[in-house]
Amino acid sequence: MNLTFTGLPVHTRILSHQLTGHVVWFSMYLGAGNPIPRYAPICCPDLDYVIYNGPAPTSIDQFVAAMKSYQLTFFQSKNEFGMAPMIPEFAQHVKLERAKCYAIQHIHNAVDWVQEKNGLVENPIADVLLDQNEIIKIMQSQYALSTENAAKLYQFKLAEYINMHRNIKYAQIESEMAIIHAKTVDDVVEIYIKTLISLGRGRATGSKVTGLL
Amino acid sequence: MNDKKLIWLATNRLRLSPGSFREYYAKVFSPFQFPVDRFNLLPNIDPDTIQTVNIVPEPVYNLHNLTLDWYDRFVAICDDTAERVYQAAHSMPGCTIVIMYSGGIDSTAVLVAMMRSPHFKPFVDAGRLKVSLNSSGIYEYPELFYETILPLIPIIPTDYNTIVADPNNFVITGDGGDHVICSTDIPIFEYDGTTDIVNMDKKIIYNYFDNCDTSGKFSDMVRGIDKHAPFELHSVGQLCWWVSQCFTHQCDMSYSFAWSSVDPAEIASFNKVFRFFLYPEFTTFSFEYMSTNPAYTSLNSMRKFFKDYIIGHTGHEQYRSKNKIGSQRTTARKWHKTAIYEDLSYNNLTSIILS
């Protein structure tokens, strides 16, 4: 099956086989013209985690099927995938590492979502280059407030921004570290669900972590 | 109840055993309503139902010789509870009262009760009373915020863990207000295209339960719970109130501190966190008032006492028809436009695999 990916670039990370024989992070942007460097959480310290930015594949069904059956995949040539079987012991290890990858990746995306939803992305109120007094003047005018109340409102909004930003990021850091130290897939799923609940995603289930294992 | 138990409470509600009471309960009341068997009614029916230390007071009530001055009683209890809060704060020198405010009817009623007291101004002047809110709370009741809260009261952003962890803070919350007057579970039911079924015969709801679980197990369980009610239940409102008293009241109390690092024993003691509507007189009021099968005509009328109390003090008639905003949680569970971003990579791969 040939797939054409259009629209937004989609960023995925999976463990893949390299020509060197290493298993690495495989990072690709489906449908993206030029790969954009993104934050890559490191969670597999005992595997080689070099990031590989690959081109958009023209055929992926074979690639995904191989991944699910724990065959190693690699680039045979520029646009062609090759496959090799994986020994069972290694497959179990890769399964756990994959779970960690999925969990951290989805938590990372969830953090992005929560930040955007709460107006934390490029919010000018927290721009250090701006003059606080000017912002207070704007608030005073727009909300018809006294200078004192406008300053109070500005300080509250700024504190709210910092507070929320910090808490979300702390949750992310804590969950990534906990996932790195997880010993089983079940542990990874539990940390994942708890993290998403703490981020306000109450309907979190482990399917995103285990669905592709 | 330890921390681990609390976290388990918050997360384990998502794992529903097939055929369990919890599974059916989740189908009907959504997975967020996690049943905690407050009165120990289902110990032998469903082992998955959780037993916990109960921090909701045991109800004390007298269903005989009831008077009809319900609103006056409600006002008196609110004012009396505020007085108790100030007395408790007086006995803890150096403590600061922090009111968790969301702009919704429960927390606004708490704030109004505190503001009506003669102790309010001295406490504010002494820097011993603050309001904790987030921006969503401003949008939910902007008039109160800009006219009263902003000019008069120190404000801090809502960060439950930080606020509760401060040894000098005496935290006041409006948790459990829904259970005083009826239940918030009712809006999920529809009948003849309307959700205003609160005063209809309860058999409508049993039909609904039967449809959710064709085995009839869930209906049977609820009928069993129905028999334990302190008075005969007639309406949808009464049945939902009783089910919520049995299963969701205790659960709601654990939401706020499930993630807190503060010792739960301290929180459960009410010395650190004072849940305004858990004051025993409210429970008494709730049981006695609901026994009269109050003539609610709509979901709005269910909240009439609270709104009358608030508007009686603030004069903002427009608050009566306000829209609910999910402002209580810093990160509410609403899925807006960006939800697609989170799911995009996964959904693409899933669709490929399924195809």
Side-chain angles (χ1 to χ4, degrees):
Chain A
M1 180 178 63
N2 290 326
L3 291 171
T4 305
F5 294 95
T6 57
L8 290 173
V10 179
H11 184 236
T12 62
R13 292 190 187 88
I14 50 180
L15 287 174
S16 177
H17 184 254
Q18 281 290 280
L19 294 173
T20 59
H22 292 102
V23 175
V24 301
W25 280 106
F26 182 91
S27 176
M28 62 184 174
Y29 289 81
L30 305 180
N34 295 308
I36 305 165
R38 287 278 303 270
Y39 167 70
I42 296 167
C43 73
C44 309
D46 52 348
L47 292 177
D48 185 351
Y49 48 78
V50 174
I51 294 171
Y52 180 81
N53 284 307
T58 54
S59 173
I60 200 169
D61 53 337
Q62 171 193 28
F63 174 79
V64 172
M67 189 188 74
K68 281 180 74 69
S69 62
Y70 287 90
Q71 295 188 65
L72 296 178
T73 56
F74 57 90
F75 282 107
Q76 216 157 31
S77 62
K78 189 179 177 185
N79 290 317
E80 194 180 352
F81 292 112
M83 281 171 253
M86 193 183 290
I87 57 171
E89 295 81 3
F90 194 51
Q92 283 305 310
H93 189 61
V94 169
K95 187 175 182 179
L96 174 60
E97 301 306 330
R98 275 185 187 170
K100 291 181 179 181
C101 299
Y102 295 143
I104 288 184
Q105 177 63 37
H106 282 294
I107 286 170
H108 175 63
N109 286 348
V111 164
D112 275 4
W113 176 81
V114 171
Q115 284 194 302
E116 185 176 330
K117 179 176 174 296
N118 288 284
L120 302 179
V121 180
E122 297 177 0
N123 190 330
I125 207 160
D127 191 333
V128 292
L129 297 176
L130 301 183
D131 184 338
Q132 294 190 4
N133 293 324
E134 288 301 319
I135 300 176
I136 290 168
K137 279 183 193 169
I138 294 169
M139 282 183 153
Q140 188 181 352
S141 156
Q142 290 297 318
Y143 291 95
L145 299 171
S146 67
T147 309
E148 187 186 355
N149 286 344
K152 189 176 170 186
L153 182 60
Y154 169 71
Q155 292 301 337
F156 168 76
K157 292 269 187 186
L158 189 60
E160 184 186 34
Y161 173 92
I162 293 170
N163 179 56
M164 208 181 295
H165 180 77
R166 283 179 176 171
N167 283 345
I168 291 169
K169 286 297 183 184
Y170 292 152
Q172 183 182 12
I173 292 169
E174 186 177 7
S175 66
E176 283 186 8
M177 290 186 173
I179 287 170
I180 287 167
H181 295 125
K183 302 291 185 203
T184 66
V185 173
D186 285 347
D187 289 347
V188 173
V189 170
E190 188 172 350
I191 296 163
Y192 170 79
I193 291 176
K194 283 178 182 173
T195 305
L196 260 64
I197 289 175
S198 75
L199 290 171
R201 305 300 302 268
R203 289 187 189 276
T205 67
S207 62
K208 287 186 177 177
V209 176
T210 58
L212 289 175
L213 293 182
Chain B
M1 204 186 311
N2 58 33
D3 261 346
K4 204 165 184 177
K5 182 84 172 177
L6 288 170
I7 291 170
W8 187 70
L9 254 178
T11 58
N12 214 42
R13 63 201 158 101
L14 302 159
R15 299 171 196 160
L16 306 172
S17 306
S20 67
F21 175 76
R22 285 173 57 201
E23 187 193 35
Y24 301 128
Y25 195 88
K27 271 186 198 168
V28 176
F29 294 102
S30 96
F32 299 119
Q33 300 287 354
F34 180 77
V36 177
D37 191 359
R38 178 183 168 200
F39 298 123
N40 206 20
L41 298 179
L42 294 171
N44 302 317
I45 297 176
D46 184 1
D48 279 354
T49 307
I50 292 181
Q51 308 297 321
T52 61
V53 176
N54 191 7
I55 63 170
V56 181
E58 282 301 305
V60 178
Y61 50 87
N62 180 359
L63 302 181
H64 304 289
N65 304 318
L66 297 175
T67 54
L68 296 175
D69 55 344
W70 296 109
Y71 179 66
D72 292 341
R73 270 183 69 182
F74 178 79
V75 171
I77 297 170
C78 285
D79 293 349
D80 181 49
T81 308
E83 183 63 29
R84 302 257 175 179
V85 171
Y86 283 115
Q87 281 175 9
H90 271 305
S91 68
M92 294 184 275
C95 85
T96 302
I97 295 172
V98 179
I99 301 168
M100 308 295 280
Y101 171 80
S102 72
I105 58 170
D106 300 336
S107 61
T108 305
V110 172
L111 180 58
V112 164
M114 298 296 286
M115 285 164 54
R116 280 163 58 98
S117 166
H119 300 292
F120 172 68
K121 193 168 183 309
F123 262 80
V124 171
D125 291 345
R128 293 189 63 194
L129 190 147
K130 293 177 184 171
V131 166
S132 162
L133 76 162
N134 58 36
S135 289
S136 305
I138 300 175
Y139 305 141
E140 185 142 7
Y141 195 173
E143 297 86 357
L144 185 65
F145 178 78
Y146 287 110
E147 291 176 17
T148 308
I149 298 174
L150 184 62
L152 295 181
I153 313 172
I155 51 176
I156 53 174
T158 298
D159 180 358
Y160 196 88
N161 282 349
T162 307
I163 291 170
V164 171
D166 186 331
N168 294 320
N169 286 345
F170 182 37
V171 182
I172 316 298
T173 80
D175 293 329
D178 289 327
H179 302 280
V180 174
I181 42 175
C182 203
S183 164
T184 49
D185 294 335
I186 291 171
I188 65 176
F189 298 115
E190 272 196 23
Y191 187 76
D192 279 352
T194 173
T195 56
D196 291 340
I197 62 171
V198 63
N199 224 41
M200 294 182 185
D201 194 292
K202 67 182 178 184
K203 68 183 179 187
I204 293 170
I205 287 291
Y206 280 117
N207 292 339
Y208 185 94
F209 293 156
D210 286 335
N211 287 334
C212 288
D213 165 33
T214 49
S215 74
K217 190 178 171 188
F218 186 70
S219 285
D220 287 347
M221 287 181 183
V222 177
R223 283 192 173 90
I225 295 156
D226 189 336
K227 287 176 190 163
H228 287 89
F231 45 81
E232 192 178 350
L233 306 176
H234 300 283
S235 66
V236 171
Q238 282 181 311
L239 180 62
C240 287
W241 168 84
W242 177 235
V243 171
S244 76
Q245 287 289 330
C246 294
F247 297 113
T248 61
H249 199 175
Q250 168 73 73
C251 172
D252 284 356
M253 297 306 103
S254 58
Y255 279 150
S256 318
F257 56 93
W259 299 93
S260 169
S261 54
V262 176
D263 179 6
E266 189 182 8
I267 294 174
S269 73
F270 284 59
N271 292 327
K272 184 69 195 177
V273 181
F274 191 104
R275 292 170 187 81
F276 200 85
F277 296 110
L278 253 60
Y279 193 64
E281 267 73 356
F282 279 114
T283 306
T284 302
F285 175 87
S286 181
F287 273 67
E288 293 180 0
Y289 180 55
M290 288 308 296
S291 75
T292 66
N293 194 12
Y296 294 127
T297 54
S298 67
L299 296 177
N300 253 339
S301 69
M302 232 167 65
R303 300 170 170 93
K304 189 171 182 301
F305 285 173
F306 283 72
K307 289 188 174 178
D308 284 351
Y309 183 65
I310 293 163
I311 295 165
H313 181 75
T314 65
H316 300 133
E317 269 301 324
Q318 61 272 35
Y319 188 72
R320 202 177 293 283
S321 55
K322 79 169 181 72
N323 290 322
K324 183 171 178 60
I325 298 175
S327 52
Q328 192 173 15
R329 292 172 180 84
T330 320
T331 49
R333 292 185 297 235
K334 292 196 182 296
W335 294 29
H336 291 309
K337 56 178 182 177
T338 46
I340 193 169
Y341 172 68
E342 184 193 356
D343 296 338
L344 210 50
S345 58
Y346 174 75
N347 286 345
N348 263 324
L349 284 176
T350 309
S351 62
I352 292 162
I353 292 161
L354 292 177
S355 64

